[in-house]
Amino acid sequence: MTNDKSIKILEKYLVNSENNMSAYGKEHLLNKNFYDIYNPLNSGTFEKLDTKTQIKFYLSFIFRLMLYKNELFTKFYKIYKKLAKKQNRLLNFDLIRHAIILRILDKNNVLKGNVCTIGDGKATFVSGLLENPKINKIFSINLPQALIQDYLIIKKYNLIDLNLIKIVERDEDIDDSHKLFLIPAENKKMLIKKDINLFVNKASFQEMPITETHAYLDIIKTNQSYLYSLNREEKKMYDGEIINYYDFKIREKSNKIIFEEQADFYKYFYSLKFPFIHKKQSKIISTLAKF
């Protein structure tokens, strides 16, 4: 717990957060210790680089090279390598994949202006944007549990001046005197017509009620934005509900699909368990659309 003003504001939104969750979110977020930055919360990895993980990191180098050899020298990989060092955090495939996503977005000339991430975890995507001179404002919308954890990570590692962070509760909170805006999910309508060039959703549309996803797509349309989505083709919730990518209706709601394809960089992952390189069972779809 903390007396930090921003945390106190975010804590107010905990009581209604269940309304924006699927059964999956309820299982991984409710009654969890989100004040612990190392708690997984099913929102990305943040693994402390102790002696054991350092050994694992060096032993897995050959597998990283096999899977990501074309990515290990990009400027975006260097951003996350620097971040991992600063946070004494394991530089694993989660961070590498974020670097790949940023490279893809940059290649398609959409990584600029105002950018919003829907469902970031461990402030990982936000961290990759903070020093990009092409980015004006950064919006991060999420459940309050995840935003509290994000904020604590940002504060602990001094990733941005805290005076440049604003918790969005009303329209006038989005101003030109702040750089990073943290938005509880129930306040999503604050993002209507906010001149946001790009929205990014990595592996969270697949875990939220379909009505929530449709609400976000409607907001994206008011901004005439680009949307980058990286989500499973299909995922089963704990209550038996199946979330299907094609039910998002990105193709139907957008004006143009730039690409919609299986994400090659998500087909395989490595571990120290034989045979070391493993194929993911689920199909991950990478999509860039213009609304």
Side-chain angles (χ1 to χ4, degrees), residues 23 34 61 131 140 192-193 220:
F34 40 84
F61 173 76
E131 296 183 13
S140 181
I192 292 174
K193 295 183 179 179
I220 292 167

Side-chain angles (χ1 to χ4, degrees), residues 9-22 25-26 29-30 34 142-145 148 169 184-188 209 212:
I9 295 173
L10 289 171
E11 286 174 339
K12 294 190 307 182
Y13 291 92
L14 293 172
V15 64
N16 293 322
S17 63
E18 189 173 345
N19 297 334
N20 302 106
M21 295 180 187
S22 67
K26 293 172 185 177
L29 288 172
L30 292 180
F34 40 84
N142 212 330
L143 294 162
Q145 292 88 344
I148 287 172
E169 297 192 274
E186 68 178 81
N187 290 344
K188 65 175 68 66
E212 283 288 290

Side-chain angles (χ1 to χ4, degrees), residues 223-263:
N223 285 273
Q224 298 181 328
S225 305
Y226 290 93
L227 165 67
Y228 178 73
S229 163
L230 184 73
N231 284 280
R232 289 192 196 182
E233 183 177 42
E234 187 172 281
K235 185 166 184 175
K236 188 174 183 179
M237 302 293 98
Y238 295 117
D239 61 356
E241 180 187 10
I242 294 176
I243 305 295
N244 187 287
Y245 165 83
Y246 297 102
D247 290 336
F248 302 166
K249 299 189 182 300
I250 295 174
R251 183 172 288 275
E252 292 89 338
K253 290 176 176 287
S254 65
N255 292 329
K256 181 182 179 182
I257 298 292
I258 291 92
F259 59 77
E260 185 181 58
E261 59 199 17
Q262 185 172 3

Side-chain angles (χ1 to χ4, degrees), residues 41-91:
L41 298 181
N42 198 50
S43 61
T45 57
F46 199 103
E47 192 172 354
K48 189 180 295 186
L49 196 60
D50 54 20
T51 301
K52 181 180 177 180
T53 53
Q54 281 182 321
I55 293 172
K56 182 168 69 173
F57 175 75
Y58 288 116
L59 288 177
S60 62
F61 173 76
I62 186 63
F63 309 127
R64 287 198 302 279
L65 191 62
M66 290 170 64
L67 290 181
Y68 307 115
K69 61 182 178 181
N70 295 326
E71 304 293 340
L72 302 185
F73 303 99
T74 69
K75 62 181 179 180
F76 300 108
Y77 176 82
K78 292 176 182 176
I79 288 172
Y80 285 108
K81 183 178 180 180
K82 178 181 176 182
L83 178 71
K85 183 177 180 180
K86 182 174 185 175
Q87 297 179 337
N88 193 37
R89 173 182 181 181
L90 179 65
L91 177 58

